[in-house]
Amino acid sequence: MTTSRRIARGLVAIGCLVVPASATQAQPATAAPTPAPAPAIRVESPTDGSVLSTRQPRIRVCVAGVDEATRSTFTASLDGETISRGFTWSEDCAQWSPHGDWLGLGKRHAWSDPPYDEDGWLAGMRDGTHHFVASVSPSTGEEVIVRTHFRVETEQHAVSLGIGFPKMSLEGFDGPFASTNLLEVRFGPQRVSTIAKDAGVLRYTDKAISIGGASTRLADGGDPGETETSLWRFMAGRRQGYGYRTGDVAFIAPYQGNSAFFADFDAYEGPYTPADQLALAPFNGHTRVGTGFEGGIAFGINRSITLDAGFEETAVYPHWVFWPALGSGAIHGIALSLADGVSRQVARVSPRAAPIVSFVLRNTISYVIFHQRRSEVNWPFGGGPGLIYEGFKVSFTFTY
C-alpha cells in the first residue's frame, strides 16, 4: 500500500511540471511593428567632390516617395546660409541657381563674390570650396540629411608678355616721328567662367597691372629728320567680354579693355620747328597721366596658355585737370555700363549672341570717344590734344 501511494505522488508531481510547460508553448508569438522606410533624398548635381568651371552652377536635389506634407519640410543651406526658398520644384526634384532675382540689391552672401554681380550677367559664386546640406523631416521618422561639397574654379593668376607696333601722332606736330615698338609685361588674375544658361558660352575677365615701354630704341632706330621718342608707362587695366567654349578648357573670347597709366615721355632727337617744340613741350621730360582702350580676341589653348591679339589706342594727357577729366571719364563709363546692360539682357535671352554684341558695342563706344581725345583729351569738356599711340599688339599669357 505504501508503495502505491509513493507512485501516485510521483505521477502528480510530474504532471505539475509538464502541464505549465505545455500551456506556455501553446501561446502564439506577437510580431514586432515594421518601421516606416526613410525618404530617399539625394543630391543629383553637383556630385560630391566635383570641380566646376561656372560661377552659376545648378544644384539639383531629388526626394522620392514622399507626400506633400513631407516635401514642405524640405530645407537647404549653402555655406551655412539658408537657400530653401530659392528652389523650384518639378515632380520629385528641386533646382536652385544663384539668380539675380533671388538676391537683395547689393547684399553680400556667404557664397558670393563682393559685389555679386561684378563679373557676370547673373549672380555668381566665389571661387573655392562650397558646402551644401539638404534635409526633410517625415512625420513617421527622424530627419533625413544629405551633404555634398564641390569647388568652383574659374580664376587663375596670369603672367603675360606682349609686343606691339604703335604709331604716334600729335595735333600741332608737323615733323615725322620715328617708328616705335612696344614691350610690355602684365600680371594679374584671369577669370573664365561658363554661363549656366548655355554651357558653350563663357564670361572672360582679365585684370592686370603692367610695366612697358614704346620706344624707338626697341625698333630699328629713326631715319635722319625723324624725332626719336621713348614712353615708359606703369598701367592698370581690365579686359572683359563673352566668349565661346571650343573644347573642355579651350575657348575664344572677343574682349574690350580699358586702362589708366602714368607715363614718362622723352623726345631725344630732332630737329623740330618752333611749332613742333611748342607742341611737344607739355610732354617732353615730364611724367603724365594717360588712358587707353584695347579690343581684341583671346584664344585659350589649354589651362595654362592663352594667346591674344588686338588693337590698342592710348592718349597721354598734356595736363591733368581733375573735374574735366572726371566728367569725361564718367561719360565713357556710363556709356560702357549701358552697353553692358544690353549685353546682359542678350545673354539672358540668346547667350550665343552676347559675345558679338558686347564686343561691337563696347569697342565702338571706346573708339569714338578716343577719336575725340586726339584733339580734346577731356572731351566733351575741352582740354588740349593728346599724344596718341595706336597700333596692333599680341600677347602670350601663362596662367597658373
Side-chain angles (χ1 to χ4, degrees), residues 186-207:
R186 295 163 47 94
F187 175 78
Q190 182 186 95
R191 167 169 280 166
V192 179
S193 175
T194 301
I195 292 178
K197 186 88 172 178
D198 188 325
V201 179
L202 56 87
R203 178 73 168 168
Y204 170 82
T205 305
D206 180 287
K207 303 175 185 177

Side-chain angles (χ1 to χ4, degrees), residues 56-314:
Q56 299 91 25
R58 293 189 179 102
I59 298 177
R60 183 176 173 85
V61 182
C62 295
V63 185
V66 299
D67 54 21
E68 192 64 33
T70 301
R71 182 181 295 176
S72 66
T73 67
F74 172 80
T75 61
S77 66
L78 181 62
D79 296 337
E81 179 182 353
T82 300
I83 59 172
S84 307
R85 291 186 299 173
F87 278 83
T88 302
W89 284 91
S90 176
E91 297 181 350
D92 289 337
C93 296
Q95 185 168 285
W96 176 93
S97 62
H99 52 85
D101 294 340
W102 184 78
L103 299 169
L105 180 63
K107 184 177 180 181
R108 174 72 188 278
H109 294 272
W111 40 263
S112 68
D113 271 341
Y116 63 80
D117 60 351
E118 179 180 351
D119 291 327
W121 62 277
L122 289 176
M125 295 179 65
R126 58 174 172 79
D127 278 32
T129 301
H130 299 274
H131 299 274
F132 175 75
V133 180
S135 66
V136 290
S137 301
S139 58
T140 58
E142 296 182 354
E143 182 182 33
V144 182
I145 302 174
V146 64
R147 294 179 172 86
T148 189
H149 77 282
F150 58 93
R151 287 187 58 80
V152 173
E153 294 184 0
T154 64
E155 186 174 272
Q156 295 177 292
H157 295 291
V159 178
S160 300
L161 177 64
I163 59 173
F165 314 96
K167 292 183 178 180
M168 296 176 59
S169 63
L170 174 63
E171 285 194 8
F173 187 91
D174 295 327
F177 286 110
S179 60
T180 61
N181 285 345
L182 170 70
L183 183 64
E184 180 182 58
V185 178
R186 295 163 47 94
F187 175 78
Q190 182 186 95
R191 167 169 280 166
V192 179
S193 175
T194 301
I195 292 178
K197 186 88 172 178
D198 188 325
V201 179
L202 56 87
R203 178 73 168 168
Y204 170 82
T205 305
D206 180 287
K207 303 175 185 177
I209 58 173
S210 67
I211 298 175
S215 175
T216 303
R217 294 172 179 174
L218 296 175
D220 295 332
D223 294 329
E226 292 182 331
T227 300
E228 298 184 16
T229 62
S230 288
L231 179 127
W232 301 97
R233 69 190 189 190
F234 177 77
M235 177 182 287
R238 173 180 173 176
R239 302 168 174 176
Q240 67 182 74
Y242 296 90
Y244 304 101
R245 287 282 183 193
T246 56
D248 291 339
V249 294
F251 65 88
I252 177 172
Y255 64 83
Q256 187 274 343
N258 297 292
S259 57
F261 58 88
F262 291 102
D264 184 76
F265 177 81
D266 288 297
Y268 44 84
E269 288 291 342
Y272 341 110
T273 65
D276 290 344
Q277 290 180 335
L278 183 63
L280 277 180
F283 306 96
N284 194 16
H286 299 289
T287 299
R288 294 300 186 211
V289 173
T291 57
F293 91 95
E294 58 181 312
I297 302 177
F299 301 90
I301 308 301
N302 53 40
R303 291 187 184 276
S304 300
I305 298 175
T306 304
L307 302 177
D308 60 78
F311 173 85
E312 180 186 69
E313 181 171 340
T314 62

Side-chain angles (χ1 to χ4, degrees), residues 332-393:
H332 191 193
I334 292 171
L336 291 178
S337 295
L338 292 174
D340 289 341
V342 173
S343 300
R344 283 193 292 269
Q345 291 299 327
V346 171
R348 289 188 175 100
V349 178
S350 180
R352 291 190 172 268
I356 303 303
V357 172
S358 177
F359 178 80
V360 171
L361 288 179
R362 288 182 63 91
N363 281 289
T364 299
I365 290 170
S366 294
Y367 183 81
V368 169
I369 289 177
F370 271 81
H371 184 77
Q372 299 299 320
R373 288 181 180 173
R374 296 168 184 263
S375 55
E376 297 181 18
V377 291
N378 297 320
W379 182 87
F381 301 105
L387 181 61
I388 303 299
Y389 287 79
E390 58 180 335
F392 291 93
K393 73 175 185 179

